[in-house]
Amino acid sequence: QKEVEQNSGPLSVPEGAIASLNCTYSDRGSQSFFWYRQYSGKSPELIMFIYSNGDKEDGRFTAQLNKASQYVSLLIRDSQPSDSATYLCAVLEYGNKLVFGAGTILRVKS
Amino acid sequence: NAGVTQTPKFRILKIGQSMTLQCTQDMNHNYMYWYRQDPGMGLKLIYYSVGAGITDKGEVPNGYNVSRSTTEDFPLRLELAAPSQTSVYFCACNRGGAQYFGPGTRLTVT
């Protein structure tokens, strides 16, 4: 069973700042990584996925993958109060199953 | 196109009662999943299915059963409800490697 670790937070950032969320994983052979956002009382929604080393950008979101160090990061630029949520990191394992971290709570203060 | 739907949204059960959580998807995806999420925790996989007639256990299957007679439906059965099964239950299906979630069922067992 792969393990995925995240700092539970809360991570507090001022509006307009960059929020940096980190995730480490145990299986060096992992290939695919996902970031989900979950608002309180709602279901997780996919933000980004990344398969290759380096950065992947989508609007205000950038996912960073470093396979040698076994970590994945999510950067949120120009953070908004509406970004306040729990961010879940997930790693794909065999059978198209995802292993989730416990999530990091992000609070963006206006 | 409703995506993934779940019923009921909320349910209170007495210890020892049984119930079925319904999950339906209209995207014709083969892979479907059931997760539970306890407060402050990530998602734990209960059961999954790779297609009609094929199911397999996830990380926390005890106390649950599933069936998959059609591509669209993947019900989760609790036979003898216990307080430890108080949780939020999410159904998901897979598209392109990523998973997409239903709105969830909040279950309380007292």
Side-chain angles (χ1 to χ4, degrees), chain B residues 8 28 53 60 83-84 90-91 96:
Chain B
N28 201 34
V60 290
S84 60
F90 291 104
C91 179

Side-chain angles (χ1 to χ4, degrees), chain A residues 34 36 38 43 95-97 101-102, chain B residues 31 33 37 42 48 90 97 99 102:
Chain A
F34 301 82
Y36 286 82
Q38 187 175 26
S43 58
N96 271 342
K97 295 181 289 183
Chain B
Y31 286 81
Y33 311 82
Q37 186 177 36
Y48 68 104
F90 291 104
Q99 292 183 16

Side-chain angles (χ1 to χ4, degrees), chain A residues 2-52:
Chain A
K2 300 179 182 181
E3 293 183 354
V4 179
E5 299 288 336
Q6 294 182 258
N7 188 321
S8 61
L11 172 66
S12 292
V13 300
E15 185 175 356
I18 296 175
S20 178
L21 304 156
N22 299 313
C23 168
T24 59
Y25 58 94
S26 62
D27 187 341
R28 185 172 291 277
S30 296
Q31 297 291 322
S32 304
F33 308 87
F34 301 82
W35 282 101
Y36 286 82
R37 177 176 62 200
Q38 187 175 26
Y39 291 114
S40 181
K42 301 295 186 182
S43 58
E45 56 179 323
L46 181 68
I47 300 175
M48 293 189 70
F49 58 87
I50 185 166
Y51 303 143
S52 304

Side-chain angles (χ1 to χ4, degrees), chain A residues 79-101:
Chain A
S79 295
Q80 301 297 310
S82 59
D83 294 326
S84 298
T86 298
Y87 289 80
L88 301 167
C89 173
V91 177
L92 187 68
E93 65 173 11
Y94 75 93
N96 271 342
K97 295 181 289 183
L98 290 180
V99 178
F100 284 86

